[in-house]
Each structure stands twice: as structure tokens, then as C-alpha cells.
Amino acid sequence: MNDDELNESERTALDAWAPLTPPAGFADRVLAAREAAPVPRRSKWPFVAAGIAAAAAAAVLFLALRDPSHAASGELVDAPARTTKALGDRAVAVAEPNATLTWRIDDDGDAVIDQREGDVFYRVDRGGPFVVHTPAGDVHVTGTCFRIEVKLMNKTKQLLLSGTIGAAVATGVVVTVYEGHVIADSKKGNRAEIAAGNRATMSPDGRTIVASADTPDRSGEAMVAFDERTATREQLIARANVQQNEITKLRTRISELENTSGRRDHHDNGAEEGRAWYDPSPERLASWVGECHVRSDEPGFDRWQPSTSLGKNERGLEPNELAQVNAALSEVQQQWKALVKSLYVEATGDATGAETLSLEAMRGEIEEKGSRDEHNLILQRIAMERAGLAQPPADLSKASPFERLFRAYTKLGDQSEQALAKRLGPERAKAIRGDGWGSRSDWSGCPDKGE
Amino acid sequence: MLSVAHQQPATELDDATLRRAMRGDGDATRRMVELYQDRVFALVSRMLSGRGRATIEDIAQDTFLAVFRQLAQFDLRGSAKLSTWILTIAARRAIDELRKQRPVLLAEPDRDRAGESRTDERTQRRELALVIEAALRDLSPELRAAFLLREYHGLEYAAIATALQIDLGTVKSRLARARAGLRERLAEVVTP
């Protein structure tokens, strides 16, 4: 207990401020509201990383791929070149070379970013809390465009302004706001609201925030700033145009970088030349080890049902092949269901639930049993195994239910193709799988360093 | 000597009910709302003091809807109590609401009249309430949340720091400042 804690009489005084109490029937009202907007169970693995989004088109995917599950996390360490990352589905970050950041977005869209180094431009949609932790303090965002530069400072202009002359070389932070506003909250408790067109410097010791109105022109990155509540339609259109131009420029720039380096970034949803999406080259697999990146496809067994007609027939099935495909995929789905059930019972001891819960719900329960670190460790192992740098475990019986589940999940694509091959032959099975089954996933995320 | 055991009302949802709620069981979910609604209302109404009952009810409801959405993420084996987790969500919702709207000015306590009416206990408590409201009015949304979570809901400093994503040392130092401010104001109205 601290010396400054309130004493008994002061605590008694606090009781004088009576709170409101819930109205009668409040629980009914909440439950009715829940029914009106059903709560989606998590349909993604907890560590679905921003790697799902293609770097080359992240700005566009950010707008286009709005998945019902907002959860995402990821890491960018010492960016080798300007890199665009989708931070969940409400923000995009453009990191300059050498920037390092990690991000975690929960299912509700609340975001925590940790920017340890470098220069990063952020575009954030309005929503819940979005906080960027930096070495000198935090930046709280509601919806805006801004840039954070974490830089070594020693008697720089900003520090001279702040009166911190003579400070040792340390990491200070410059926040520049192009649109909306942010709140800079230094680690020593100083706080400043920074509006569009302004910038502020948080000194390395966190004692000082120096704001100035001279936002430097950053090669066309400046956004049209105004108060959305009073903006005219023309202003909104003008801003949209500016933002669209910005996105186009970012995409062009990334394409140039890709062409220069002679390869497509692996985060691109497209496959490598001459290879199916699910079948990365050995070189690509080797490059994924550093990010603990794993890719897999499957037919979407959580909800898959046998087809009664060819429908759009996007896989080019012959009429007589439909029954064979249904039989093959049903077989694999049944095996998958049986595995999920058994692992669910093993993980939770809830045999009754295994008979009533959906496949998706059981999968969610199993994944809850594992920590994020365990998830990332499994990703690292599989990435190394796929790159030929490690042997898959000969005996998985001692592995956690989650590891066994995840490993089995990442093999469902091949397993489905093999089941089909037994019926239609390997060539036809491969052709039907095509570029990959309908449900495709990319995961990335390494264990914390030091583990 | 025999002691008489008094059955205390449960302050946390039991594990079995919580697991059922995590699976979407309606009865368990209702039990959860009924058990925590008073605490959520207490926090939200003090956070949003002066905003009006409708807003407070909306934020309290929004809190529970967020709880439902995120419940699968609650770590049953972790050290955090469910109440702490729910209050954290409520605090964040209230902070968001405070940022969206312009501050509402509260009535300053009329100190002269307050001095005359100290014989009336009810009036004195009302006066005290206004003083406390006024003291908290000047705090930032995060600090207000920190103060309420600590002083009215008994959260540990570390839990508050985690909940509000504020450095632990900052939480302590800012709360110390807030308490000092509150003491000054209380000293003006509390009879020694």
C-alpha cells in the first residue's frame, strides 16, 4: 500500500457519490441486442497474421478484405525496404527501411502497436482504441493519418527547442499528423493533442513534448485536413481522391521494388510463376523460415457439404466426377471431424460438448488452450520442416492437442487431393485442386526472441 | 468457539457457468450479465457523469456485447478475474465515449450554501458527491478510469496499467496526484 492511499474517512466520503444502477430488465435488453446481432464465434486461428494480406496490395486489401474476425497480429523487424502492412482490417502501415514494429489487433478491432524503431506512416479508420507504443511514450489514435519517427537524438533541433540540451544520444519520437488528431502521451505523463498539420516531438526521457505547426511537406503525403463533422461533400471527395492517389502511389512504389528485386513478395496472394498457390518453391519456403510463415489450403471443411449440382463448376468437373468428389471430400471431412472431436475431449474433458458443439466451436476451444507463444513456436517448427531445415517429429502423441490439430489442419489440402486421386487418378485430382482449395490461409509469427 | 458462517453473495462467476457462457449458453450468459451489471453501471455512470442515463445504458450494453464477442479469449487459467476483465472493457468503452463528445460541464458546488447546510446529512452527502465529481472532472479519461478502477473497484495497480495500457509507474504517480487533488477539495467541505 502506498502512503498516499486514501484513508478510511476519505473512502467513506467517496461513497457519497452514488452510481446509477441498471434499470429493471437490463439483462433482457442486453440479451435481446445480442440476438439481434449474433456473436460470431472466432473462425480464425488466433494468430492469423497480417501476412494474410498481400504487401503489394495491402492498401487495397485493407479496404476490400473485411473479414468478420478482426483479430490479427504480426511483426516487422528491421524492414529491408519500404513495406506496407495491413494492421487488421482498420489500418495500414507503411514502414520505411529499418523500421521495426509489432502489432496485435483483438477481435473487437482494438489495436496495440509497438514501434521500436524507424519511420512509419499510419492510416487508421475510426473505431476503438488504437495505441502506438514508442520508446518515448504512447500515441492514441481515433482515426487519422499520421507518421511516427523513432530516431536517435542528440542536440537536434527538437531537443534544443525542448531545452534538453546535452541529453545523451537516445531515442526520441516525432509524431506528424496529416489528418484528424492524435494524443501523444509521454512516458513521464505529459500529454499533448496534435491536430492535423502539426507535429510534436517527445523527448527521449519522456519529460517533454514539443509541438510545432510546421508540418514538413513529405513528397505528396500530406492529406486534406478538415473537421469531418462539418465537411462538405466536395471536401470529402477531395480527401478521398488524395487518399486514393496515395494508395496508388504506394502500390506503384511496391511494384517497382518487387521488379527491382526480381521477385514477387511472398505476401502477395498470387502464386509463383509456374507453381500453384499452395505449392511454394524451395527458395520461398526457405525465405519464410525467418518469419515463421506457413501456408495451407483446404476445402472449407467447417461448413463444407456435398454438392448436388455442378453449379458454376469453377473447377471444371465432368458430370460423372461430382459424386467422386463428394465422396472423397466427405471421407476427409469425416476424418477431420473425428480428429477434432477427440482432441477437443482430450483438451477439455467435455465429452458431452463434443456431441453438440460445431466443428468450428470445438476448434476454437482447443486453440484457446494454447498460448500465443506456443502457436508461434509451432509455426516456426513447421516453417523449418517445410524448408528442409528440421525433421517433422516422428511421434506426435506427446504434442499438445493444439499442435496436433494445427498440423492436421495444414495437411487437409494434400489429404483431400490424395482422397480424390484414389478415385479419379493423381493427374485429375491435381487438376481439380487447381491453384488451391477454396479456403486458403497464411500464418506468420515467430516466438519471442530469447525463447 | 463456533463461528457463524454467513453466505456471501458470489462476486465472480463460477468456472462451470463461465465455460457455459463461453459456449453461448443463454442461461449462463444471463447469469453473467446479472452478476456484473451493477459494477459495470457503477463504473460507466461515474466515468460518464453528466452524460445522461440513455448514454450510460448504451455504453453499459455495448460493454456486455463486447464481452460476448471477446469471451472466448478470456483466459480461464490466467490470474485476471472476470470482473477485472469486464471492467477493463467497460472503461475502454467509456473512454472512447468521452473522446467522442465534448466534456459536459458539471455544476460547481456552492461552497457558501454548503457550509450553511451541513446539518442536513443528505445535503452534505450531495455536496460531497459534487466535490468528488468536480475533482474527477478535470482528469483525463484514462486517469479518471484509473482512479475509479482503483478506488471504487479495488483493482491492483498492475491490472489498471495493463487495462489502460499505461506504464505502471505512471499509474501510481498520476493516481497520487489525483488523490492529492481530491484531498484538497474534500478538506473544504468535510467537517474535521
Side-chain angles (χ1 to χ4, degrees):
Chain A
M1 178 166 165
N2 292 355
D3 292 339
D4 69 335
E5 298 268 7
L6 298 180
N7 62 34
E8 198 57 36
S9 66
E10 288 164 340
R11 285 188 189 287
T12 304
L14 288 183
D15 292 339
W17 188 19
L20 290 184
T21 53
F26 177 72
D28 290 332
R29 174 178 148 183
V30 171
L31 295 175
R34 181 198 192 198
E35 290 303 314
V39 180
R41 283 201 70 89
R42 286 199 299 164
S43 59
K44 299 290 180 189
W45 304 88
F47 48 93
V48 171
I52 285 174
V60 171
L61 286 175
F62 162 62
L63 298 170
L65 292 182
R66 292 188 178 268
D67 193 286
S69 168
H70 302 277
S73 64
E75 183 178 45
L76 177 65
V77 179
D78 198 10
R82 177 182 273 198
T83 305
T84 302
K85 291 282 183 186
L87 310 182
D89 65 359
R90 62 178 280 230
V92 65
V94 183
E96 298 298 333
N98 305 318
T100 292
L101 68 154
T102 60
W103 58 93
R104 191 181 72 251
I105 292 89
D106 69 21
D107 270 353
D108 210 31
D110 295 356
V112 178
I113 317 297
D114 188 0
Q115 183 182 333
R116 294 189 292 275
E117 288 180 56
D119 181 353
V120 181
F121 169 86
Y122 296 89
R123 167 120 191 83
V124 183
D125 262 5
R126 288 187 183 280
F130 188 103
V131 182
V132 183
H133 295 304
T134 75
D138 298 340
V139 178
H140 300 263
V141 186
T142 51
T144 185
C145 287
F146 63 105
R147 176 180 295 278
I148 293 177
E149 300 162 75
V150 178
K151 50 171 60 173
L152 292 179
M153 290 182 168
N154 184 18
K155 298 181 182 179
T156 62
K157 181 182 176 186
Q158 288 83 6
L159 289 183
L160 285 167
L161 279 171
S162 73
T164 321
I165 300 171
V169 173
T171 310
V173 168
V174 179
V175 183
T176 307
V177 179
Y178 301 104
E179 179 190 333
H181 74 276
V182 305
I183 294 169
D185 203 355
S186 83
K187 62 186 181 185
K188 291 295 182 187
N190 291 308
R191 168 171 285 224
E193 183 168 336
I194 312 165
N198 292 292
R199 70 186 335 206
T201 302
M202 287 194 280
S203 64
D205 60 6
R207 292 183 186 282
T208 316
I209 301 177
V210 180
S212 60
D214 56 345
T215 304
D217 179 17
R218 300 191 64 112
S219 61
E221 288 161 353
M223 295 292 173
V224 179
F226 52 79
D227 185 343
E228 279 190 347
R229 292 167 299 187
T230 56
T232 63
R233 180 173 174 274
E234 288 68 29
Q235 282 178 307
L236 290 167
I237 291 171
R239 185 181 67 175
N241 288 337
V242 171
Q243 290 169 350
Q244 188 56 50
N245 289 339
E246 175 71 9
I247 290 169
T248 303
K249 276 191 289 184
L250 290 171
R251 294 179 66 196
T252 305
R253 175 66 180 142
I254 291 164
S255 296
E256 287 169 2
L257 288 169
E258 286 170 358
N259 293 336
T260 304
S261 64
R263 67 179 179 82
R264 290 178 67 79
D265 190 282
H266 71 262
H267 288 302
D268 192 325
N269 269 353
E272 292 168 281
E273 186 72 28
R275 303 189 78 98
W277 180 89
Y278 62 84
D279 181 32
S281 66
E283 293 76 20
R284 180 172 282 192
L285 289 172
S287 75
W288 285 357
V289 171
E291 293 181 33
C292 308
H293 190 97
V294 173
R295 170 174 284 185
S296 72
D297 65 331
E298 53 104 0
F301 281 134
D302 276 353
R303 295 188 177 85
W304 182 85
Q305 291 183 331
S307 300
T308 53
S309 72
L310 290 174
K312 292 182 183 175
N313 199 13
E314 289 168 345
R315 295 189 180 271
L317 300 184
E318 298 296 331
N320 61 345
E321 289 177 330
L322 182 60
Q324 304 290 347
V325 171
N326 279 339
L329 297 187
S330 293
E331 175 187 302
V332 180
Q333 187 185 41
Q334 287 309 312
Q335 292 167 357
W336 172 239
K337 279 184 176 174
L339 177 70
V340 173
K341 270 189 181 182
S342 69
L343 291 174
Y344 172 78
V345 174
E346 184 181 333
T348 66
D350 179 15
T352 309
E355 299 306 318
T356 56
L357 291 173
S358 70
L359 204 56
E360 196 176 4
M362 284 189 282
R363 220 175 75 171
E365 296 277 342
I366 297 167
E367 79 184 37
E368 288 300 323
K369 300 293 175 187
S371 67
R372 185 178 298 276
D373 286 341
E374 183 195 358
H375 300 161
N376 288 348
L377 198 59
I378 295 167
L379 281 180
Q380 186 179 50
R381 285 188 202 131
I382 296 177
M384 292 180 70
E385 290 163 14
R386 289 186 170 187
L389 300 175
Q391 288 294 320
D395 178 14
L396 276 173
S397 63
K398 288 180 182 163
S400 69
F402 176 78
E403 179 167 358
R404 279 178 280 160
L405 184 82
F406 184 71
R407 284 181 178 277
Y409 183 80
T410 58
K411 291 176 181 167
L412 285 175
D414 289 346
Q415 204 178 332
S416 300
E417 184 183 326
Q418 287 156 12
L420 201 51
K422 282 193 297 185
R423 292 165 172 83
L424 298 173
E427 283 185 18
R428 190 67 191 125
K430 187 172 281 298
I432 290 171
R433 186 178 183 182
D435 197 38
W437 298 112
S439 177
R440 303 178 187 187
S441 303
D442 276 297
W443 293 273
S444 61
C446 290
D448 289 340
K449 286 170 184 167
E451 284 190 17
Chain B
M1 179 177 163
L2 291 174
S3 63
V4 179
H6 295 281
Q7 187 162 3
Q8 297 292 325
T11 57
E12 295 293 338
L13 206 60
D14 64 275
D15 272 5
T17 308
L18 176 53
R19 284 179 191 280
R20 280 171 36 224
M22 289 170 112
R23 289 182 202 135
D25 180 289
D27 288 342
T29 306
R30 173 183 295 280
R31 171 88 185 105
M32 183 172 69
V33 176
E34 289 172 345
L35 185 59
Y36 296 106
Q37 61 181 358
D38 283 350
R39 279 171 273 185
V40 167
F41 257 79
L43 177 63
V44 172
S45 64
R46 286 177 171 131
M47 279 290 292
L48 301 178
S49 172
R51 297 276 191 228
R53 184 163 190 113
T55 301
I56 290 161
E57 288 184 10
D58 284 349
I59 298 299
Q61 174 176 306
D62 188 37
T63 296
F64 280 108
L65 295 180
V67 166
F68 299 154
R69 284 196 298 272
Q70 299 175 35
L71 193 57
Q73 293 174 18
F74 181 73
D75 185 358
L76 280 164
R77 294 169 302 177
S79 57
K81 293 178 188 170
L82 184 61
S83 58
T84 300
W85 186 73
I86 291 174
L87 288 173
T88 296
I89 292 172
R92 288 181 181 164
R93 286 287 177 284
I95 289 169
D96 285 349
E97 181 64 22
L98 285 170
R99 286 196 181 132
K100 270 193 256 174
Q101 298 185 23
R102 297 179 68 81
V104 174
L105 291 178
L106 299 175
E108 278 287 354
D110 184 335
R111 295 195 173 82
D112 292 337
R113 288 187 56 191
E116 292 167 6
S117 58
R118 277 178 187 163
T119 51
D120 182 338
E121 188 181 340
R122 191 171 168 185
T123 306
Q124 187 178 2
R125 286 183 69 79
R126 176 63 187 149
E127 175 73 5
L128 267 176
L130 282 172
V131 165
I132 296 163
E133 268 188 274
L136 295 187
R137 179 181 62 193
D138 297 333
L139 304 180
S140 68
E142 286 82 2
L143 185 49
R144 193 184 308 182
F147 184 90
L148 294 173
L149 289 171
R150 176 68 186 172
E151 304 302 347
Y152 283 97
H153 298 274
L155 264 64
E156 298 292 334
Y157 288 111
I160 295 169
T162 303
L164 302 177
Q165 297 162 350
I166 303 174
D167 175 70
L168 179 60
T170 305
V171 170
K172 289 181 178 176
S173 62
R174 290 190 190 179
L175 281 181
R177 284 211 304 270
R179 289 190 194 104
L182 179 65
R183 276 197 186 97
E184 278 182 26
R185 289 181 184 246
L186 285 177
E188 295 174 19
V189 293
V190 175
T191 309

